[in-house]
Amino acid sequence: MFRIGHGYDVHRFEKGRKLILCGEEIEHDEGLLGHSDADVAVHALMDAMLGAAALGDIGKHFPDTDDAYKGISSIELLKHVKGLLDGQGMTLSNADITVIAERPKLKAHIDAMRANLADALDVDVSFISVKATTEEGLGIAGKGIAAHAVVIIMHNS
Ligand code: MG
């Protein structure tokens, strides 16, 4: 049996922060603002996985009022979400993530981003897609970075 999930997230740029996308630190003159490391792509992916499992969202599991999650690597949170799905007898079949950023250019980082997610989820990298696009200067992406994620989850029973 299959389940589909979708996740969406946006974080605004902030000077003096590191830019982390799919667990990869990317050289840029500003990073994303957030309670955790603000890895917007991993946040969208986790919401897609939780959505497929009908287990709520990341705000429920990792509230930004909880100091335990302050500055935490979102890759660690992703491993926790994988564990929640494992506990329900669900495994990720594949994930397709679109990162929407006017800047910086992400092309050179895509393979490393895919590998980080595949490692955290213990799947072959061929099941993890990461794509990058802009909004042609027309949308919110110039002020920050947005991400969509779609996943298929297999239910083992
Ligand atoms: Mg977020």
Side-chain angles (χ1 to χ4, degrees):
M1 184 177 153
F2 294 88
R3 290 164 169 251
I4 192 167
H6 171 256
Y8 174 67
D9 197 19
V10 182
H11 282 255
R12 68 170 60 244
F13 280 130
E14 171 96 345
K15 295 276 185 206
R17 300 254 316 170
K18 288 179 179 172
L19 177 59
I20 312 286
L21 290 172
C22 299
E24 196 68 11
E25 186 175 337
I26 293 169
E27 192 68 40
H28 193 49
D29 60 354
E30 49 194 349
L32 296 174
L33 182 62
H35 186 67
S36 65
D37 64 357
D39 189 331
V40 65
V42 172
H43 292 188
L45 175 58
M46 290 191 288
D47 263 351
M49 292 169 67
L50 290 168
L55 287 174
D57 60 24
I58 56 173
K60 173 183 167 184
H61 292 275
F62 315 114
D64 64 8
T65 49
D66 189 336
D67 276 353
Y69 305 118
K70 193 166 164 52
I72 196 170
S73 164
S74 296
I75 289 285
E76 295 307 311
L77 303 180
L78 178 62
K79 290 176 184 170
H80 181 80
V81 168
K82 178 192 182 298
L84 291 174
L85 266 61
D86 287 346
Q88 302 280 319
M90 297 180 191
T91 44
L92 183 87
S93 174
N94 74 297
D96 185 19
I97 298 163
T98 302
V99 180
I100 306 160
E102 296 297 333
R103 56 194 164 82
K105 290 290 175 214
L106 298 175
K107 191 177 173 184
H109 303 284
I110 295 289
D111 286 347
M113 292 160 74
R114 292 174 65 207
N116 291 344
L117 299 180
D119 278 354
L121 294 168
D122 197 23
V123 297
D124 190 85
V125 74
S126 64
F127 294 98
I128 306 292
S129 163
V130 177
K131 313 189 300 295
T133 189
T134 72
E135 289 178 328
E136 298 285 339
L138 296 171
I140 59 171
K143 298 173 186 165
I145 295 180
H148 285 273
V150 176
V151 300
I152 294 280
I153 300 293
M154 282 186 298
H155 205 293
N156 299 333
S157 61

